[in-house]
Amino acid sequence: MGSGVRRARRTLIAEGKMTEQSMQFDYIVVGAGSAGCVLANRLSRDPNNRVCLVEGGGSDRTPRIHVPAGTITLYKSERYAYQFMSEPQTHLNNRRIHVPRGRMLGGSSSMNSMIYIRGDRSDYDTWAAMGCPGWSYDDLLPFFKEAEDNRLGQSPDFHGRGGELAVDKPRDPNPASRRFVEAAKEIGIAENSDFNGAKLEGVGIYNLTQKDAKRLSSYRAFVHPVLSRANLTVMTDARVERLDIVGGAVTGVTLTKDGKSLTLRAARETVLAAGALGSPEILLKSGIGDGAELRAVGMDVRHHLPGVGKNLQDHLDGLVTVRSHDSSTLGFSAGSMPRVLASPLKYLAKKAGWLTTNYVEAGGFARTKYAGDVPDVQFHFVPGYRSHRGRLFEWGHGYAIHTCVLRPESRGSVFPKRTNGQAELGIDFRFIDKEQDARVLVEGMRLARRILGASPFAGIRGAEIAPGPKRMSDEALMDYVRSDASTVFHPSGTCRMGNDEGAVVTPDLKVRGLANLRIADASIMPTLISGNTNAPSIMIGQKCAAMMLAG
């Protein structure tokens, strides 16, 4: 079949116009997010490999995605995000936690805060020590460097140039972000100019995955530039209903697109890269998981694999937010309105101004009294008033620090359930099931308060709205955690990698007990990394592709 015919065929498939019910590829990648886009790129480099990238969401063609400041509008969007809600959290006053995940090309890398963090060396060395050879920091650093196009002149010992993923500084950070760094230094937390270098600990202005003042999602970095490859098919708005299994081997997927059922066949392998919620959900819908759990909700058991959905981890977050009368911070007021109205023109003309912000311009990593040799909390500083009521925008000004627990001890799960007869995914983080997580968070918020009380904030000082001056004791802060703590949107661990009976995938990312199926996304993490999960997920996609191509 000529390349022109293949291109036409690929376009017809993507538009849902083909009538045949079975399409053949060498590799099927499910999920066009952080890891899946890298896999599609690397596997399709060889023109002899027919690759299909399947995405349940739609296009990313909207300024809300590409203009950095648009990220705040995506989290509650039905069009661009799956609006998951957790089960009532027993230790958080039975609150349900909102868990949005990307529903478009690029997945959650098209709606995150664009922060480029790899985590601590010890995270990966711990994976290797847990029975995952080939996953130590030294093993993985080449994959991080290969993908990176570092625009900051940082050390080549840790950084790459010429990769697809541009890493740069914020274009026009708010002055309050620099105040945060100076304030943290005043209380004894050192400045760190490279969180992805020799050490993680410290504070600074975050590096971002942006290019030319626009978001650089995994899709825009790895897939969009190679769409002309005749051997690469990208299918959007395609919901995978199940993995097809014949004789203990996965042969492909059955999906729904435009109301029609379509079966795709993979001659070599199928890879799930649908994320820490999506990948276990597809396994469970396919009858792969804990047999007792599946039978309890009336689902067939195709392969008993009890670890599916277990080991759920996430970064628990506590907010300290301050009201200020200073209109130099991000916000809406009479004083800021001229800048707000001028921001579109400033963005278009100079690639500067409010629209370049990712809202979390600065932050860092620190140790509480409970920490060992590595940080146990992370700060995300917002140079604007962060609503304590859950609103996207509040009238007025201020600033805030989000503090999260880097290495949670609590473990939750995702599991099959039925609501009104419909199969659904249950999500139970079991946040602060281990009370030590709450203790670490309380101490982290105390550090955040000390930073906000330091002299660099004197010129814009305001009143603390949350937790508020009435919540000073450990007991009061514990109550605040239970009533207000939430997630930083880093779910992981639900298809854990390892060599024991509870693992879902082996260190080569093959699903235990099934042929021709791998998983490559944050779900395979044995333990949650110390930081934002986009860069590690991209690395996981790269390593998976390398193992697949090596045979």
Side-chain angles (χ1 to χ4, degrees), residues 133-372:
W135 290 86
S136 71
Y137 177 82
D138 288 338
D139 292 323
L140 300 176
L141 181 59
F143 294 105
F144 282 115
K145 292 171 67 175
E146 179 190 357
E148 185 182 11
D149 184 19
N150 188 277
R151 307 291 182 88
L152 299 163
Q154 292 172 322
S155 170
D157 290 342
F158 299 99
H159 295 280
R161 289 298 307 271
E164 295 91 342
L165 189 68
V167 176
D168 208 344
K169 61 184 178 181
R171 295 285 296 210
D172 191 10
N174 188 277
S177 296
R178 189 66 214 175
R179 289 179 185 266
F180 164 82
V181 176
E182 295 302 318
K185 288 166 61 178
E186 185 173 284
I187 72 162
I189 304 174
E191 184 169 0
N192 188 346
S193 62
D194 184 4
F195 296 118
N196 303 298
K199 66 175 183 176
L200 181 69
E201 189 168 4
V203 294
I205 304 297
Y206 279 131
N207 297 343
L208 307 176
T209 52
Q210 293 183 2
K211 185 177 182 181
D212 301 326
K214 295 181 181 179
R215 172 192 296 277
L216 190 63
S217 69
S218 189
Y219 171 73
R220 287 285 161 169
F222 295 98
V223 173
H224 189 264
V226 300
L227 283 175
S228 60
R229 289 178 181 172
N231 62 326
L232 175 61
T233 297
V234 178
M235 186 179 297
T236 57
D237 297 305
R239 177 178 172 80
V240 172
E241 302 297 341
R242 68 173 183 272
L243 298 167
D244 295 318
I245 306 171
V246 177
V250 171
T251 59
V253 301
T254 294
L255 54 83
T256 300
K257 180 171 174 59
D258 299 326
K260 298 178 181 178
S261 180
L262 182 67
T263 298
L264 308 182
R265 296 299 184 204
R268 296 182 182 174
E269 292 189 74
T270 297
V271 188
L272 295 183
L277 303 183
S279 288
E281 181 179 31
I282 291 170
L283 291 176
L284 294 168
K285 289 195 301 183
S286 306
I288 303 167
D290 185 286
E293 288 185 355
L294 291 167
R295 283 188 288 270
V297 293
M299 300 174 71
D300 292 335
V301 180
R302 299 297 306 277
H303 178 59
H304 176 61
L305 193 57
V308 172
K310 308 300 190 295
N311 194 48
L312 173 62
Q313 300 159 64
D314 202 345
H315 288 134
L316 183 66
D317 174 83
L319 173 69
V320 179
T321 188
V322 173
R323 280 277 197 190
S324 171
H325 295 296
D326 191 283
S327 63
S328 67
T329 59
L330 300 177
F332 296 100
S333 67
S336 70
M337 203 52 63
R339 291 197 310 277
V340 172
L341 295 175
S343 60
L345 182 60
K346 191 172 184 179
Y347 179 78
L348 292 172
K350 299 181 179 181
K351 297 294 186 288
W354 188 347
L355 294 182
T356 67
T357 188
N358 68 323
Y359 300 99
V360 187
E361 298 171 344
F365 302 84
R367 284 182 284 172
T368 73
K369 66 182 182 181
Y370 298 111

Side-chain angles (χ1 to χ4, degrees), residues 503-547:
V504 176
V505 297
T506 52
D508 55 6
L509 303 187
K510 293 180 178 179
V511 174
R512 295 176 61 246
L514 287 172
N516 305 334
L517 178 64
R518 300 196 203 216
I519 302 175
D521 53 35
S523 72
I524 66 98
M525 295 181 178
T527 55
L528 181 53
I529 64 100
S530 304
N532 311 75
T533 50
N534 181 43
S537 295
I538 289 172
M539 175 277 295
I540 290 167
Q542 284 204 160
K543 183 169 174 65
C544 182
M547 291 188 291

Side-chain angles (χ1 to χ4, degrees), residues 64-112:
R64 293 168 64 183
I65 291 173
H66 300 295
V67 176
T71 185
I72 200 171
T73 72
L74 299 171
Y75 287 89
K76 294 186 178 181
S77 167
E78 295 283 349
R79 179 175 181 179
Y80 296 113
Y82 295 102
Q83 300 297 319
F84 291 107
M85 294 296 292
S86 78
E87 299 297 302
Q89 295 298 284
T90 303
H91 306 295
L92 299 183
N93 294 350
N94 287 318
R95 290 182 293 122
R96 293 182 182 270
I97 304 298
H98 181 218
V99 195
R101 308 305 297 158
R103 188 180 187 177
M104 70 292 244
L105 290 168
S108 293
S109 76
S110 286
M111 62 180 283
N112 66 4

